[in-house]
Each structure stands twice: as C-alpha cells, then as structure tokens.
Amino acid sequence: MKDNSINQECVKALRERLDNINVSDYHGLESPGLTCYLNSILQVFFMTEDFRRAVNRCYSKEHTTMDGLLYTLFSDLERSLATTHQVTTTLGIVDVLEQRDAAEYFERILYLTSPEASKIFKGELQHKITCLTCKKWNHTRNYFWILPLAVKKSSPHTYSVDRGLRSFFREETVCGENKMYCNHCSSKKDAIIGCAVTQQPQILTLLLKRFTFDYRSSCFVKLHCSVDIPATLLMGNRRYQLYALVHHYGSLTGGHYTSQVQSFETGEWYCFNDNIVEKVQKPLFDCEKATLRSESAYLLMYRAEKR
C-alpha cells in the first residue's frame, strides 16, 4: 500500500511537470532586423484557415508574386521555423530597423494577393449624405479590409469595442464649419452623414486607433487606455467570433508587436512572438462576462459564424 501511494504521488508530480512544459504545435518566424509588425500579421494570415487554403489554390492555378511567397512561407511554417526575407524584400522594406505599422502591412499584403484570397477579409460600406435643406441624398460605396474604431481615452473607464462598433455606424449631424456641399442647393448645408455595411466580410478586422495627434505637444502619441474586447460581435445579421488579436507594446517609436491566435486545428490559443510560439495557458476570456480586457490590443480579427 505504501509503495502504491508513492507511485501515485510520483505519477501526479510528473503529470503536473508535463502540463507546465510549454510545447507549441506551431513554429515562429525568423526575420531580418526588427520586423515584428510583419511577423505578427503573417502568423494571423497563416492561422486563418480559409485564407491559407485560398492561397494554396491560387498558387497552383495562377502564380502571382505575393501568393507564391505566402504559399512557400506557409509550407515552411507547417514544418519548422521559417524566414521572411523574401516577403520583406517584395514589400519594399529597406530599413528593417525602423518601427512600422502592422495595420498598414496587413492591407498592403492583401492588396498584393489574388482577389480570391483577399476577398475573405473584404467588406463593402455605403456612405450616405442627406442634405437637411432639400432632403436630397447621395451615396458612395467603398470596399474595406479594416474598420477603424476611434479609441478615446476615458480613464478611469474602459473603451468598449462593442459600443465603439455601434458608434461607427451611428448617423451624425454636421453643421457650422463642418457643413457639406449640396449639389442640389449649390452651397454648403447642414447634413446627416452615416454609413452601412452592404457586403459583410467573412473575416471582420477592427483597428483600435490608439495612435492620435496631440495638439498640445504637436505630435502623435499612443493611448494606453484599457479596452474591453467581446468574444462575439453582432454586425448586421451576422455574428462574429474573435479568433485573433495583434498587440502593440511600448510607444509610437519604440514598440513591439505580437499576436494571439486561436487555432482552427486544435482550438487552443497561441502567442506568436517573432521566433517564439507558446500556447496560452490561462483562459483568454472571463467566463462570466465573455470579454477580454487589454491595454495593448491593436488589431482584432473576428470570424463570421456559419449560418
């Protein structure tokens, strides 16, 4: 009985040690210089199932520069640590030590990929302007890959992504110095402006605009306020599930990017930090509120739930 008790304790201790060993199912990226902004985005693309499959299809049918590079990169990542040197060169990144914007390169890569692959992230907005004098209106339609949400420093309160998204689509009255020119009235008039989604993307990407111009210091600064991020979002008649975040730590000129992505293969969350990949050990969301509070989240990717 004593020996059996000792063996059970040894087994229990061994199991706890194995559980604490952080073994990842994925591989990191080796890059020239300080291109964490690119690495974080590339890992999100790799971990987006439909995008990865679309790149593989497009590469086999018709070779394009970016599709071919992504195909090779994704193939390498499935086996081991991969390098981004060719992608960096193709994107025209010369100074690899300069801090750059991950959102800018997210859009730049999608612009260079084939339409079949990039359409997964593409949505369409209709912008409408209604003159309050003649009641006439006009509208324009534009495609988007990212919806920008204006993060406002509201300390001690936190910024809500859910409320921010609703605010993005809320109509606004412009008047005074902000009057809009009306073609029917041939002069500037008070107006109502607003927008609506006319084509919902399969992947909804939100940009938390943490970088803003400070008129007192006459320069751009970063807002370090806390943000409440919901696990699910409702936009129009579609529900979206959060599956990836890109974080920015530090200041505008000396920061660092990482990404957290939920695997479509294992269901687990992983943290991608350049050449290091670790499984996220703690639950990402508060089970009671189904929200994540973050002071570093910059880009949020939501996947549309299947109907």
Side-chain angles (χ1 to χ4, degrees):
M1 292 293 292
K2 185 177 180 181
D3 291 340
N4 186 45
S5 175
I6 293 174
N7 289 337
Q8 288 180 351
E9 289 297 324
C10 290
V11 170
K12 182 180 178 181
L14 179 60
R15 184 181 293 113
E16 289 178 352
R17 289 183 61 186
L18 290 175
D19 289 340
N20 289 329
I21 296 177
N22 205 332
V23 179
S24 176
D25 302 293
Y26 298 99
H27 306 284
L29 290 170
E30 187 178 77
S31 304
L34 307 175
T35 53
C36 55
Y37 56 90
L38 181 61
N39 294 343
S40 60
I41 290 302
L42 289 172
Q43 291 286 15
V44 170
F45 284 138
F46 173 70
M47 297 291 284
T48 303
E49 180 181 15
D50 291 333
F51 183 78
R52 194 198 302 184
R53 289 180 176 178
V55 166
N56 291 344
R57 288 195 304 270
C58 296
Y59 172 71
S60 60
K61 290 180 181 178
E62 182 180 350
H63 177 78
T64 61
T65 302
M66 186 53 66
D67 285 355
L69 292 176
L70 291 177
Y71 175 84
T72 302
L73 181 69
F74 293 169
S75 299
D76 291 343
L77 276 174
E78 289 178 343
R79 298 188 298 270
S80 62
L81 182 76
T83 63
T84 65
H85 294 70
Q86 287 184 306
V87 176
T88 303
T89 302
T90 301
L91 290 171
I93 301 174
V94 178
D95 187 355
V96 294
L97 300 179
E98 181 182 352
Q99 175 76 59
R100 297 174 187 264
D101 184 14
E104 175 189 346
Y105 282 86
F106 174 82
E107 291 188 310
R108 187 174 293 188
I109 290 173
L110 288 176
Y111 179 77
L112 293 173
T113 53
S114 60
E116 183 181 345
S118 63
K119 72 178 182 180
I120 294 168
F121 293 88
K122 181 183 286 186
E124 185 185 64
L125 283 177
Q126 176 180 275
H127 299 269
K128 184 178 178 180
I129 303 175
T130 304
C131 175
L132 290 177
T133 300
C134 67
K135 307 303 179 183
K136 300 289 185 179
W137 57 271
N138 61 71
H139 68 85
T140 58
R141 292 192 176 191
N142 302 100
Y143 289 110
F144 69 89
W145 283 310
I146 292 176
L147 288 184
L149 302 184
V151 176
K152 297 179 181 179
K153 191 171 184 180
S154 53
S155 181
H157 304 292
T158 59
Y159 176 83
S160 167
V161 170
D162 197 20
R163 289 196 298 269
L165 185 61
R166 291 198 299 269
S167 178
F168 182 87
F169 293 104
R170 189 174 298 128
E171 290 186 338
E172 178 185 356
T173 301
V174 291
C175 55
E177 295 181 354
N178 297 318
K179 288 181 180 182
M180 305 293 292
Y181 185 83
C182 175
N183 290 326
H184 298 279
C185 299
S186 298
S187 62
K188 288 187 175 182
K189 297 292 183 179
D190 295 346
I192 295 176
I193 60 174
C195 64
V197 175
T198 51
Q199 177 185 313
Q200 292 180 315
Q202 185 176 337
I203 303 295
L204 171 64
T205 303
L206 302 178
L207 167 65
L208 302 179
K209 297 177 67 177
R210 291 186 175 275
F211 305 122
T212 185
F213 189 79
D214 183 15
Y215 288 95
R216 289 180 297 180
S217 58
S218 297
C219 65
F220 280 92
V221 295
K222 181 184 177 183
L223 300 177
H224 294 273
C225 61
S226 295
V227 174
D228 279 344
I229 304 166
T232 60
L233 272 178
L234 188 64
M235 189 176 75
N237 61 352
R238 300 201 72 173
R239 185 175 294 278
Y240 290 83
Q241 186 78 29
L242 182 74
Y243 81 98
L245 307 94
V246 174
H247 295 273
H248 181 270
Y249 302 93
S251 66
L252 181 64
T253 56
H256 180 63
Y257 286 96
T258 66
S259 56
Q260 286 180 307
V261 191
Q262 185 179 32
S263 169
F264 63 86
E265 296 168 313
T266 69
E268 301 287 343
W269 283 85
Y270 297 83
C271 178
F272 296 87
N273 185 3
D274 290 335
N275 63 338
I276 300 173
V277 182
E278 296 179 334
K279 184 185 293 185
V280 177
Q281 298 296 326
K282 295 182 180 179
L284 205 62
F285 287 94
D286 185 327
C287 295
E288 295 181 359
K289 298 180 179 179
T291 58
L292 169 67
R293 180 162 295 181
S294 172
E295 293 184 359
S296 58
Y298 182 55
L299 285 170
L300 312 175
M301 286 79 172
Y302 285 83
R303 181 187 295 111
E305 294 183 354
K306 295 181 180 179
R307 295 173 176 175

